[in-house]
Amino acid sequence: MDSDASSVKLAELLRHPDDLDRIIGFKAEFSRKKAAVDAQLKVGLKEQLQLTQTGMSSIKGGQQTLNSIKEEMMKIDRLCAEAQSMIHNFPEINAVAQAHRNFTQVETTKQNIESFATRLDKVNMLLEEDEQDLDLQENLLPIHHEISQLRTIRDEALQQAKNDSSLEADLQRVFGSLESTVDTFDEHVGHGCTHLIPLVNADNTSLVVRLAIVIEEEEKFDERAKELQDAQREFKDLAAHFKSLAVGTTELRGYKAKFLEAINYYAQAQLDASDQAFIEDPDKLDKSLRWYFNDLFAVKAGMVQLMPKKWKIFKTYVGIYHTLLYQWLSAKAADKQTQPIHMLAIIHWKDKYLAKMRRLEVKPDDLSPPLPGGRDSDLVREYRQLIVDKVDEWMTNLNNTDRADFIARKETSIDTDEHGRFRTKTLADMWRLLHEQLLVAGDSQLLEVVEGVTDAMFRALKTRVDMWFGLINDEVAKYAKPSVEPEAIQSLQDWLCSLANDQIVSISFAEANHGQPGYLHQFHSDFAALVSPEYANQAESKVETLQHTITDLGFRCIHVFVRIIFLIDFKAVMSEFFTPAWSHRSPMGQLVSTFEDYRQDYREVMHHLLSDLFIEELSQQLLIAYLSAVHNRNIKVSRLDAFESQVKDDVQSAFKFFENFEAFHTVDGVPGIKDKWRVVSAMLSLIQCDKHVIQATFRDFLQDYWDVKLSWVEALLRMRQDIDWGPLGEGKSIMKGLRQEAAELRTEQSVGTVMAEVD
């Protein structure tokens, strides 16, 4: 594997023969790199070796110390044994001494037991005095001292009687009332520990000091008990020989832990109150947590000098308070029920928190774990996604509702605006939703949130436009099938008119929309004021693209509206053109009359900016259908003059309707309806010309209508009776020549002609 890699590397370096001259340079460079790597490895190896040697030396030293201790203990044991043999009558002397010690101990124990109840009553009396004012507790230290003595008496007596069950039971009855006294004492201590901050604020420092003394003494007791536990566990054999190891309580009282729990309890109680205030008004998060910094300031300014230095009481408070705050904010941030406004408050509060902690001389590095929030935190992205999810959810619901209503032709989903024009009911709701969520994102004052939400809105708008395109195209495909019966055509056309109006209202400028800017332009203005200049520049292309797409959707609605007219209303009529029935009556008049009916029906409910487009689309679809009529059955042109006259009558009938509109005329170089219908004259030229000049006439036709389909040309020429289309006729040779002309002369252009849509 290494040799293959080396070969590949050499192949990359030496790709050309000239690269052989660079081998010396490569060798020198690799030598330098190798020397540098070797030097680094040597330094690292030396450091690792030194660390290993130091560790081994420490282990060896520890082993030697342990062995020395064992040897000294063995010497002591040996000296004790030797001393007993050196002293004459040592056993008798030792027995007498032991008896004296036992007698003294029994006497002391007897006195302690006899006075136990009296001393306990005195303690209870002192506790009752302190009960009158728990914020003072002047007797706290005497009570603690006496209770400690009584505990020691109880523990030693029970230790001595542990091998006598009956005696132990009697002692338990004697000492049983001590526990209730201790519980009362613990309640007094607990009350003081849970009110340390109020005591300091009230300048009641004497009780704070007394509490500190009690906790410190109990901490020392627990340390001794812990050491005794360790000694009994590690030196079981020696414990049997040394009374100091065999006697003494090993039960930990845990006052220091309870002290810390009291601090935690006090902070948690205030945090619970802040939680409710935060839920009710997230804007007042800073105010609801004001106690947090007041407490820490009280500790720093008034409690530090009252507590043992080794406790580092301010650091302890900071650690407890910060941990509780972290847990609370993290739970809020992770809660799915948390509202965006609450999430935003958490995000912004972190910077304020760190600033206030700096004023208390607490560095951010000392606050672990870091609070959720901040401008660069994952919480910002979660907050952004929260808004994005809401936008997607609401837009999806709107889309589903509109899709179902459109398919069901639900007329109650169509409304009219203040100008009487059709409008879908959900249009204003959709743009209002986007506006509100954009304001929510803007309130965050975070560019990442605003720009991310804006991107999501662009995607949602595109999805909605694509949905309408798909639904409308499905309707066209359905009605284009010959077997489909027309159903609720007017409802469909009302929907198409409403959708077209929606698109115009969305993209129009104020001057074209009764002084009201279009929804899209208002949306553009809204987000442009909130995002960075760089994003605003990039978003210009998105707005432009979306505007074009919305415009295309509006045009598509009008196109399909007119297309449905020809697929349903004019399906039978269009099949008569150029047939014998056409020569006896003119169906064009019927079409024009229907156009006028539609214009009158939708003149008030269709946006005025769509009126010209509607007329142009009627003309375009009529022209396409008229030219496509060459495929009708049973067409034969027996008299060219009569055919030409009938065609001109049709054109004149159509022009009588269209000439009343501005779109009929050419304006600023844009061809009007009249110019577009000139293709009919070109069609007549192909029918009327001598068959020997058909190819030349087609060449002229191709210059103006480069995208004409040869299948249409063939259908048109088959209408002539002077061309033989039999197997040996000239029809095939004529079409062959036309195909050659099309192949040689046709040049694709950027703008198509009407003939591209004529089959």
Side-chain angles (χ1 to χ4, degrees):
M1 187 69 180
D2 293 341
S3 61
D4 294 340
S6 300
S7 301
V8 172
K9 185 64 176 178
L10 284 173
E12 292 178 356
L13 294 174
L14 305 176
R15 295 182 177 180
H16 306 287
D18 294 341
D19 291 338
L20 294 174
D21 298 335
R22 302 166 59 191
I23 290 179
I24 297 176
F26 288 147
K27 183 176 180 181
E29 182 181 356
F30 291 147
S31 298
R32 286 194 300 271
K33 291 181 179 179
K34 181 178 181 300
V37 172
D38 290 343
Q40 292 177 354
L41 290 174
K42 187 178 294 183
V43 171
L45 180 61
K46 184 178 180 181
E47 293 177 352
Q48 191 65 33
L49 183 59
Q50 289 176 348
L51 291 174
T52 304
Q53 290 175 342
T54 301
M56 292 178 65
S57 299
S58 300
I59 294 173
K60 184 177 180 182
Q63 186 67 38
Q64 291 175 349
T65 302
L66 184 61
N67 291 334
S68 299
I69 294 174
K70 288 183 178 180
E71 291 176 0
E72 292 299 325
M73 296 294 288
M74 293 174 64
K75 287 180 181 180
I76 293 172
D77 188 59
R78 188 169 57 253
L79 288 173
C80 289
E82 292 175 353
Q84 294 178 12
S85 61
M86 291 173 63
I87 301 174
H88 184 64
N89 297 329
F90 178 80
E92 292 79 3
I93 297 172
N94 185 53
V96 172
Q98 184 65 42
H100 183 269
R101 286 195 300 270
N102 290 343
F103 177 79
T104 303
Q105 184 177 357
V106 169
E107 182 69 19
T108 303
T109 302
K110 178 176 177 294
Q111 293 175 358
N112 288 336
I113 293 174
E114 290 175 347
S115 63
F116 189 88
T118 303
R119 296 171 68 179
L120 187 60
D121 290 340
K122 184 178 179 181
V123 170
N124 288 329
M125 182 181 65
L126 294 175
L127 284 172
E128 290 177 359
E129 291 179 4
D130 282 357
E131 188 81 28
Q132 304 304 316
D133 190 354
L134 290 176
D135 290 336
L136 187 58
Q137 298 189 46
E138 294 181 342
N139 301 315
L140 183 64
L141 292 181
I143 292 172
H144 174 252
H145 176 75
E146 194 64 17
I147 285 180
S148 298
Q149 294 292 324
L150 295 177
R151 277 176 161 176
T152 302
I153 292 171
R154 180 196 61 182
D155 294 341
E156 290 180 354
L158 292 175
Q159 179 71 22
Q160 294 174 14
K162 65 180 181 179
N163 295 325
D164 188 339
S165 58
S166 61
L167 178 58
E168 185 177 7
D170 293 338
L171 291 175
Q172 289 288 4
R173 285 193 294 273
V174 173
F175 301 136
S177 57
L178 177 62
E179 287 302 323
S180 62
T181 302
V182 171
D183 290 342
T184 303
F185 171 74
D186 289 349
E187 290 176 2
H188 288 194
V189 174
H191 175 83
C193 291
T194 54
H195 292 77
L196 287 174
I197 299 296
L199 290 173
V200 171
N201 290 334
D203 201 24
N204 189 0
T205 57
S206 59
L207 178 55
V208 177
V209 172
R210 288 194 289 273
L211 288 168
I213 293 174
V214 170
I215 303 300
E216 185 179 23
E217 288 300 317
E218 290 295 332
E219 183 182 25
K220 292 177 181 178
F221 176 87
D222 283 351
E223 289 175 354
R224 291 193 297 269
K226 185 66 169 59
E227 291 173 355
L228 186 58
Q229 287 179 355
D230 296 340
Q232 290 178 349
R233 184 175 60 255
E234 296 179 10
F235 304 102
K236 293 182 180 180
D237 297 335
L238 293 176
H241 298 283
F242 291 92
K243 184 177 180 180
S244 61
L245 294 179
V247 179
T249 180
T250 59
E251 182 180 356
L252 302 180
R253 296 173 183 172
Y255 276 79
K256 181 62 179 297
K258 294 176 182 177
F259 171 73
L260 299 177
E261 290 175 4
I263 297 175
N264 191 92
Y265 173 83
Y266 178 76
Q268 185 64 57
Q270 296 187 93
L271 198 58
D272 291 342
S274 297
D275 179 71
Q276 185 60 37
F278 175 64
I279 293 174
E280 294 174 357
D281 190 353
D283 292 335
K284 295 182 179 179
L285 175 61
D286 191 40
K287 182 179 180 180
S288 65
L289 288 173
R290 188 175 297 167
W291 60 266
Y292 184 98
F293 304 100
N294 291 340
D295 285 1
L296 293 181
F297 178 78
V299 173
K300 185 177 181 63
M303 191 185 297
V304 171
Q305 65 271 25
L306 306 178
M307 297 285 179
K309 290 184 178 180
K310 66 177 182 179
W311 285 2
K312 299 180 179 179
I313 192 65
F314 179 66
K315 184 177 181 181
T316 300
Y317 262 89
V318 169
I320 293 174
Y321 274 47
H322 178 79
T323 300
L324 288 175
L325 186 63
Y326 166 79
Q327 293 171 349
W328 178 63
L329 291 178
S330 297
K332 286 295 179 185
D335 189 353
K336 299 298 183 183
Q337 302 301 320
T338 299
Q339 297 298 315
I341 189 171
H342 295 85
M343 189 82 77
L344 180 61
I346 294 174
I347 291 172
H348 283 305
W349 195 71
K350 181 178 181 180
D351 293 337
K352 297 179 182 178
Y353 172 75
L354 294 178
K356 292 185 177 182
M357 294 302 286
R358 288 191 187 95
R359 289 200 289 271
L360 290 171
E361 298 181 353
V362 179
K363 300 178 181 178
D365 294 340
D366 297 333
L367 299 171
S368 181
L371 294 184
R375 292 182 175 271
D376 299 324
S377 67
D378 291 337
L379 197 59
V380 172
R381 288 175 282 279
E382 292 177 11
Y383 176 70
R384 178 191 64 194
Q385 192 59 43
L386 194 63
I387 302 176
V388 170
D389 290 343
K390 287 295 183 183
V391 170
D392 290 342
E393 177 186 350
W394 291 334
M395 289 293 287
T396 299
N397 292 339
L398 282 175
N399 291 344
N400 291 339
T401 300
D402 284 345
R403 180 186 292 106
D405 292 349
F406 178 80
I407 293 174
R409 305 289 190 269
K410 193 173 181 180
E411 296 182 0
T412 56
S413 296
I414 297 177
D415 202 355
T416 55
D417 61 13
E418 63 273 19
H419 306 291
R421 298 175 302 208
F422 281 161
R423 183 91 61 84
T424 60
K425 287 186 176 180
T426 55
L427 177 70
D429 294 337
M430 179 195 74
W431 287 107
R432 182 171 59 254
L433 178 154
L434 296 180
H435 175 73
E436 291 173 353
Q437 292 306 303
L438 198 57
L439 291 179
V440 172
D443 289 341
S444 71
Q445 300 177 0
L446 299 168
L447 290 178
E448 182 179 353
V449 172
V450 178
E451 293 171 1
V453 170
T454 303
D455 284 338
M457 290 179 176
F458 275 117
R459 292 193 298 270
L461 288 169
K462 183 180 184 304
T463 299
R464 183 172 175 82
V465 171
D466 291 343
M467 177 198 74
W468 284 125
F469 268 117
L471 290 173
I472 292 169
N473 291 336
D474 289 344
E475 292 299 321
V476 175
K478 181 174 71 174
Y479 285 106
K481 296 177 181 179
S483 59
V484 175
E485 294 294 330
E487 298 178 357
I489 295 302
Q490 183 177 351
S491 297
L492 173 60
Q493 290 172 327
D494 289 349
W495 265 95
L496 292 171
C497 179
S498 301
L499 289 173
N501 288 343
D502 286 354
Q503 312 319 307
I504 294 300
V505 171
S506 296
I507 63 171
S508 59
F509 291 96
E511 55 271 17
N513 193 37
H514 304 283
Q516 287 290 109
Y519 286 117
L520 180 61
H521 298 295
Q522 186 61 52
F523 171 70
H524 185 193
S525 300
D526 290 343
F527 79 74
L530 301 174
V531 300
S532 64
E534 294 78 12
Y535 182 89
N537 291 333
Q538 296 173 3
E540 290 291 341
S541 60
K542 294 183 179 180
V543 173
E544 184 177 353
T545 300
L546 183 59
Q547 181 171 344
H548 290 329
T549 306
I550 292 175
T551 302
D552 291 342
L553 176 59
F555 288 178
R556 181 64 177 168
C557 291
I558 297 301
H559 170 80
V560 172
F561 185 106
V562 176
R563 181 71 176 143
I564 293 295
I565 296 175
F566 280 86
L567 289 174
I568 304 301
D569 294 350
F570 298 161
K571 185 176 182 179
V573 176
M574 295 308 302
S575 63
E576 296 180 3
F577 281 95
F578 307 149
T579 64
W582 170 66
S583 61
H584 295 97
R585 71 181 187 88
S586 175
M588 184 63 76
Q590 179 183 348
L591 301 184
V592 170
S593 177
T594 304
F595 287 168
E596 181 61 26
D597 292 340
Y598 270 105
R599 193 184 75 84
Q600 292 296 334
D601 291 342
Y602 286 91
R603 182 174 59 181
E604 299 298 331
V605 297
M606 184 178 290
H607 198 286
H608 65 277
L609 294 178
L610 293 172
S611 299
D612 287 343
L613 176 64
F614 181 62
I615 297 301
E616 290 179 15
E617 196 62 35
L618 286 174
S619 169
Q620 184 80 348
Q621 291 299 319
L622 176 59
L623 179 58
I624 292 170
Y626 191 76
L627 294 173
S628 300
V630 299
H631 294 287
N632 289 338
R633 295 181 178 180
N634 302 320
I635 297 178
K636 284 295 181 182
V637 179
S638 56
R639 292 180 52 198
L640 290 178
D641 56 342
F643 179 82
E644 179 183 6
S645 175
Q646 188 72 18
V647 168
K648 289 182 178 180
D649 288 343
D650 287 343
V651 173
Q652 289 299 322
S653 296
F655 281 5
K656 284 182 180 180
F657 173 76
F658 291 118
E659 66 184 1
N660 297 315
F661 304 100
E662 185 177 351
F664 182 75
H665 305 284
T666 299
V667 179
D668 296 331
V670 178
I673 294 174
K674 184 177 181 179
D675 285 337
K676 293 178 181 179
W677 276 73
R678 294 185 186 279
V679 66
V680 177
S681 298
M683 178 189 73
L684 289 175
S685 298
L686 283 172
I687 289 183
Q688 294 174 328
C689 69
D690 189 277
K691 64 180 180 180
H692 300 293
V693 296
I694 287 178
Q695 191 165 337
T697 305
F698 175 72
R699 188 183 302 117
D700 295 336
F701 189 95
L702 200 61
Q703 294 295 325
D704 295 327
Y705 307 98
W706 62 273
D707 47 5
V708 63
K709 295 179 178 65
L710 290 176
S711 59
W712 178 83
V713 176
E714 181 175 351
L716 179 66
L717 295 179
R718 283 181 177 272
M719 295 169 59
R720 298 174 57 139
Q721 293 189 358
D722 59 342
I723 298 178
D724 183 5
W725 294 95
L728 301 177
E730 67 230 324
K732 291 186 177 180
S733 62
I734 291 175
M735 288 306 303
K736 181 178 180 181
L738 297 183
R739 291 188 182 93
Q740 291 177 349
E741 287 286 343
E744 295 175 2
L745 300 178
R746 192 195 302 269
T747 56
E748 187 171 345
Q749 300 177 23
S750 58
V751 180
T753 71
V754 67
M755 295 307 300
E757 301 182 53
V758 177
D759 295 327

